[in-house]
């Protein structure tokens, strides 16, 4: 079974991605590798941050790995918070404070269009590959739901009347930014495995 490190310590991301990758791949997260430090994220793009995290782990452990970075891009805010999504309301990365800031900035705003974008960076035998996943939708007027994490309670994806936080994990995974990026990663890995 191919061995691959998922360069994250975020338990929510580990859970979502493990559900998608199933048993076909032996995926290890950073806590399983004994790594608890925060990874560097000093770039000003999602692509840059995903690559920075993957390169850091590839150089440290010398094992094939992938990392991802995700941002929420709100149209009426000119695409903000984007790469600064985690720290939108401050350095403590508090999800409630982040959502409150977004709701506050959009108060009275009729254009509530937004999208989540995930970039996955894979390093396989020293070669780098990027995969992108996008989920389009709207920012709700208030929070709803308790599943998921981060901004899920205020994001309603197109084609649904629930927020991500009101969906079960399997449905979110099928239509989400991260789910789509990981599905591309799986297709790429599967095609290589059969060649
Ligand atoms: P990062 O990719 O860990 O830097 O996350 C950036 C920010 O986006 C954090 O505030 C996360 O909580 C948030 N975030 C990442 N993925 C999701 C998601 O699937 N749903 C809602 N919020 C997310």
């Amino acid at each position: 079974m191919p061995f691959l490190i998922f360069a994250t310590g975020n338990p929510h991301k580990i859970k979502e991605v493990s559900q998608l990758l199933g048993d076909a791949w032996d995926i290890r997260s950073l806590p399983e590798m004994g790594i608890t430090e925060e990874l560097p994220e000093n770039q000003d793009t999602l692509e840059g941050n995903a690559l920075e995290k993957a390169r850091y782990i590839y150089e440290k452990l010398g094992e094939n790995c992938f990392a991802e970075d995700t941002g929420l891009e709100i149209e009426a805010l000119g695409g903000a918070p984007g790469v600064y999504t985690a720290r939108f309301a401050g350095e403590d990365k508090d999800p409630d404070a982040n959502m409150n800031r977004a709701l506050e900035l959009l108060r009275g705003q009729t254009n509530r269009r937004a999208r989540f974008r995930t970039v996955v960076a894979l390093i396989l035998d020293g070669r780098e590959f990027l995969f992108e996943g996008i989920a389009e939708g709207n920012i709700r007027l208030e929070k709803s739901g308790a599943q998921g994490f981060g901004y899920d309670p205020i994001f309603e994806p197109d084609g649904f009347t629930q927020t991500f936080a009101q969906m079960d994990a399997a449905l979110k995974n099928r239509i989400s930014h991260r789910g789509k990026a990981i599905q591309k990663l799986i297709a790429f890995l599967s095609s290589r495995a059969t060649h």
Side-chain angles (χ1 to χ4, degrees), residues 45-52 54-55 67-68 118-123 127-133 181 184-185 188:
T45 60
L46 299 178
E47 287 78 3
N49 276 339
L51 275 170
E52 186 174 17
R55 285 175 185 155
E68 65 93 84
T118 291
V119 175
V120 168
L122 167 71
I123 305 186
R127 293 183 62 203
E128 297 176 345
F129 305 90
L130 293 176
F131 307 92
E132 182 187 58
K184 288 184 189 171
L185 170 73
F188 175 81

Side-chain angles (χ1 to χ4, degrees), residues 10 13 16 41 53 68-70 85-86 98 116 149-152 172 177-178:
N10 182 326
K13 292 183 178 179
E16 287 187 6
E41 282 186 81
K53 290 186 274 191
E68 65 93 84
D69 203 42
T70 295
T85 298
N98 282 339
F116 274 111
F149 70 104
Y151 293 71
D152 280 347
K172 181 188 169 191
H177 42 295
R178 183 170 302 100

Side-chain angles (χ1 to χ4, degrees), residues 69-82:
D69 203 42
T70 295
L72 176 63
E73 300 172 346
I74 301 175
E75 197 171 275
L77 304 181

Side-chain angles (χ1 to χ4, degrees), residues 133-172:
I134 291 174
E136 302 273 0
N138 286 289
I139 301 294
R140 282 275 190 94
L141 294 171
E142 54 189 35
K143 300 168 199 160
S144 299
Q147 316 284 324
F149 70 104
Y151 293 71
D152 280 347
I154 61 169
F155 185 82
E156 182 181 294
D158 286 350
F160 293 85
T161 53
Q162 307 134 281
T163 65
F164 272 157
Q166 292 173 306
M167 294 179 172
D168 67 45
L171 177 56
K172 181 188 169 191

